[in-house]
């Protein structure tokens, strides 16, 4: 009987895939198909949850099959991340007139990412205080205790890494190893290696323009192929989002969400406030925030459902270049750096909220100026170090809490709502990267305002 029901659920997914294909054949806009996929996924997930239950074998087996669509799409995106980052950055640098332009670009991007992460920490503190969050209010079950023990064990590896060690982790000792994504810092390492190759090409262009021209021509050819692969993969976005959302909703622990509802609400309030701050920054740059929001929504939708900042890099770059009018170099740099540095959700809001929740349990007043200043500064510094220790909000929390001498095991109390909150955090991380790219391009005078303001300049290459 179970096998029959699993086959039935697979058939339903195939029917919905057929609907999305029909919409594509009728040239329905890419954005509408993305949101249709999101709606289908949510509906399908609710059906599985209500009819069979989140912990049932049928849902587990069905989700395994649905993962071919959802997780398979994420894998395809991850497949093209390193080639895209590498070739894009080399090609962008070879198109620069001076290497000094690279320094300005990187400085503005990193500066915006880190400063907004520090602002995000302040927002997280405020949200925690508004909702009067306290770790003592949460009861710990066996899963939470196990998670707390794991975090304490993991803390050892985090504490063993000094700040210089974390910086050294960015520098590629073996670029070919980093091209496999073997290390948590592989993306940044590939960015650094690619930048060095690009700078070397500029040097060769001054001394031996003929050889440089051959190299540039080859890079441009490879870039064209890689971008074509990106286009082909991005066309699968509506299907991937549907599969991801269906499995996420179907397996969501509703009981855990209800139990920790106040923390979930506080988290999403902080995320919303930070999103608004991003839009205000866009507005201060003389750009229409509503136009910006309309063009980035498909990318944020995927980031939300996939919970993968790195996996969103191809969509991030494509949207910045084709929809927002950001110059190629800035789009490539901001998407790559934003996936591992200054993450507003994971490295900003989340650790700050945990610190405010946990501080009263050890007799610390979270409102004391000394505590708050220390927290914001540590968040800013640690937003560089997250990628160096394995990535993610968990490690960001470990770094911040341990640096402030707060017990890390209490962070395990939130395990049941982690996936739900992580969806919003990832979307905010990606939006922070896109905001930094848009503002940097605007500041450096490279933003294509006509493309930004053109409502039709949205995913033209992938809309068919």
């Amino acid at each position: 009987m179970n096998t029959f029901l699993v086959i039935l659920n697979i058939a339903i997914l195939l029917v919905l895939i057929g609907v999305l294909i029909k919409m594509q054949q009728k040239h329905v806009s890419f954005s509408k198909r993305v949101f249709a996929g999101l709606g289908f996924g949510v509906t399908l997930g609710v059906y599985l949850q209500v009819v069979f239950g989140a912990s049932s074998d049928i849902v587990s087996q069905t989700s395994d099959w649905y993962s071919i669509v959802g997780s398979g799409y994420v894998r395809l995106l991850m497949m093209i991340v390193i080639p895209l980052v590498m070739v894009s950055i080399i090609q962008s640098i070879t198109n620069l007139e001076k290497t000094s332009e690279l320094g300005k670009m990187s400085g503005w991007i990193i500066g915006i990412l880190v400063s907004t992460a520090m602002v995000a920490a302040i927002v997280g503190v405020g949200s925690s205080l508004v909702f009067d969050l306290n770790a003592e209010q949460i009861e710990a079950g066996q899963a939470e205790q196990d998670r707390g023990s794991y975090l304490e064990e993991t803390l050892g590896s985090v504490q063993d890494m000094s700040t210089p060690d974390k910086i050294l982790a960015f520098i590629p000792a073996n670029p070919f190893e980093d091209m496999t994504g073997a290390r948590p810092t592989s993306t940044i390492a590939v960015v650094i290696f690619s930048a060095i190759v690009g700078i070397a090409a500029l040097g060769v262009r001054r001394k031996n323009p003929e050889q440089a021209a051959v190299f540039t021509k080859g890079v441009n050819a490879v870039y064209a192929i890689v971008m074509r692969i990106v286009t082909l993969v991005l066309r699968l976005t509506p299907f991937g989002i549907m599969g991801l959302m269906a499995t996420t909703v179907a397996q969501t622990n509703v009981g855990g969400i209800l139990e920790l509802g106040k923390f979930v609400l506080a988290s999403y309030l902080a995320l919303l406030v930070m999103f608004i701050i991003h839009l205000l920054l866009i507005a201060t740059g003389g750009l229409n925030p509503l136009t910006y929001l309309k063009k980035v929504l498909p990318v944020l939708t995927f980031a939300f459902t996939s919970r993968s900042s790195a996996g969103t890099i191809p969509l991030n770059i494509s949207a910045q270049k084709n929809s927002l009018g950001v110059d190629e170099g800035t789009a490539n740099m901001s998407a790559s750096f934003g996936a591992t540095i200054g993450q507003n959700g994971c490295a900003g809001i989340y650790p700050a909220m945990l610190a405010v929740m946990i501080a009263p349990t050890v007799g610390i007043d979270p409102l004391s100026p000394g505590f708050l200043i220390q927290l914001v500064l540590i968040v800013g510094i640690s937003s560089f170090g997250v990628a160096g220790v394995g990535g993610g909000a968990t490690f960001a929390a470990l770094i911040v809490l341990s640096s402030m001498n707060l017990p890390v095991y209490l962070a395990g109390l939130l395990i049941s709502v982690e996936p739900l909150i992580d969806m919003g955090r990832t979307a905010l991380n990606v939006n922070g990267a896109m905001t930094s790219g848009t503002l940097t391009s605007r500041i450096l005078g490279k933003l294509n305002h006509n493309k930004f303001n053109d409502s039709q300049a949205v995913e033209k290459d992938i809309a068919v």
Side-chain angles (χ1 to χ4, degrees):
M1 184 62 179
N2 283 7
T3 302
F4 170 76
L5 292 174
V6 170
I7 293 174
L8 176 63
N9 294 336
I10 295 172
I12 294 173
L13 177 68
L14 293 175
V15 169
L16 294 177
I17 289 175
V19 173
L20 289 175
I21 292 174
K22 283 291 184 184
M23 293 175 68
Q24 181 175 339
Q25 292 174 342
K26 292 183 178 180
H27 303 291
V28 175
S29 72
F30 180 75
S31 297
K32 289 180 181 178
R33 284 186 280 124
V34 166
F35 287 109
L38 177 65
F40 290 160
V42 171
T43 303
L44 198 50
V46 171
Y47 152 73
L48 293 172
Q49 171 107 217
V50 171
V51 175
F52 305 108
S55 58
S56 71
D57 290 338
I58 294 175
V59 169
S60 177
Q61 294 176 39
T62 300
S63 297
D64 288 342
W65 284 99
Y66 284 10
S67 292
I68 295 176
V69 177
S71 299
Y73 175 65
V74 175
R75 288 188 174 220
L76 287 174
L77 284 171
M78 295 300 293
M79 172 192 74
I80 61 175
V81 165
I82 295 298
L84 174 62
V85 168
M86 184 174 181
V87 179
S88 297
I89 289 177
I90 293 174
Q91 197 244 20
S92 299
I93 293 176
T94 55
N95 288 334
L96 296 175
E97 294 297 326
K98 300 177 182 178
T99 54
S100 59
E101 294 181 34
L102 179 63
K104 291 179 182 178
M105 182 194 306
S106 301
W108 275 108
I109 290 171
I110 294 174
I112 293 171
L113 287 171
V114 175
S115 60
T116 52
M118 296 172 74
V119 172
I122 297 173
V123 172
V125 169
S127 184
S128 297
L129 296 175
V130 167
F131 281 83
D132 191 26
L133 297 180
N134 191 314
E136 292 178 337
Q137 301 169 351
I138 305 173
E139 295 183 5
Q142 185 60 48
E144 287 76 13
Q145 292 175 358
D146 292 343
R147 177 65 169 175
S149 299
Y150 166 75
L151 293 179
E152 288 189 312
E153 293 173 4
T154 307
L155 177 61
S157 63
V158 175
Q159 289 179 322
D160 290 341
M161 291 191 70
S162 64
T163 300
D165 288 336
K166 295 168 187 173
I167 295 174
L168 282 173
F170 291 131
I171 302 175
N174 184 348
F176 296 101
E177 178 188 18
D178 287 316
M179 289 176 199
T180 68
R183 302 188 301 139
T185 54
S186 285
T187 301
I188 292 297
V190 169
V191 169
I192 293 174
F193 175 71
S194 303
I196 292 172
V197 172
I199 292 171
L202 291 179
V204 173
R205 187 169 66 188
R206 288 195 300 269
K207 296 182 178 181
N208 197 326
E210 291 183 1
Q211 290 185 354
V214 174
F215 176 79
T216 301
K217 186 176 181 179
V219 169
N220 289 338
V222 174
Y223 177 77
I225 297 297
V226 170
M227 289 308 298
R228 184 57 185 170
I229 296 173
V230 170
T231 298
L232 294 175
V233 173
L234 293 191
R235 287 180 179 175
L236 302 174
T237 300
F239 309 100
I241 286 178
M242 180 173 65
L244 289 167
M245 207 64 203
T247 54
T248 299
V249 174
Q251 298 179 319
T252 297
N253 182 353
V254 178
I257 293 174
L258 295 176
E259 182 180 343
L260 297 172
K262 190 161 75 166
F263 181 79
V264 174
L265 289 175
S267 297
Y268 271 91
L269 174 63
L271 293 170
L272 177 61
V273 169
M274 200 59 211
F275 268 115
I276 293 173
I277 290 174
H278 286 170
L279 294 179
L280 291 176
L281 289 173
I282 294 294
T284 57
L287 303 172
N288 188 326
L290 295 180
T291 300
Y292 168 87
L293 184 62
K294 176 184 176 183
K295 294 190 173 189
V296 303
L297 269 179
V299 181
L300 300 184
T301 299
F302 173 74
F304 184 85
T305 55
S306 69
R307 297 168 52 198
S308 173
S309 297
T312 312
I313 287 177
L315 286 86
N316 189 333
I317 293 175
S318 177
Q320 286 195 58
K321 291 194 309 180
N322 300 326
S323 300
L324 297 175
V326 176
D327 64 286
E328 199 163 36
T330 302
N332 295 329
M333 284 287 188
S334 61
S336 303
F337 281 135
T340 46
I341 294 176
Q343 296 187 339
N344 289 190
C346 290
I349 289 175
Y350 185 65
M353 291 184 69
L354 288 183
V356 172
M357 288 175 62
I358 294 172
T361 67
V362 292
I364 298 176
D365 179 10
L367 286 175
S368 65
F371 175 86
L372 294 175
I373 292 173
Q374 182 185 14
L375 176 61
V376 172
L377 290 176
I378 288 176
V379 164
I381 295 171
S382 68
S383 67
F384 277 95
V386 173
V389 294
T394 297
F395 287 102
L398 288 177
I399 294 171
V400 172
L401 296 178
S402 62
S403 299
M404 301 191 71
N405 297 316
L406 296 173
V408 300
Y409 75 91
L410 291 173
L413 297 174
L414 307 170
I415 182 175
S416 60
V417 293
E418 266 294 292
L420 177 63
I421 299 172
D422 196 43
M423 296 166 80
R425 288 195 306 243
T426 305
L428 182 63
N429 294 341
V430 172
N431 194 62
M434 300 181 79
T435 298
S436 72
T438 304
L439 290 177
T440 297
S441 188
R442 171 72 176 84
I443 292 168
L444 298 179
K446 295 184 176 182
L447 185 72
N448 186 330
H449 289 267
N450 291 332
K451 183 174 287 188
F452 181 93
N453 294 316
D454 181 5
S455 60
Q456 302 301 316
V458 182
E459 318 98 3
K460 289 181 178 177
D461 291 337
I462 56 178
V464 297

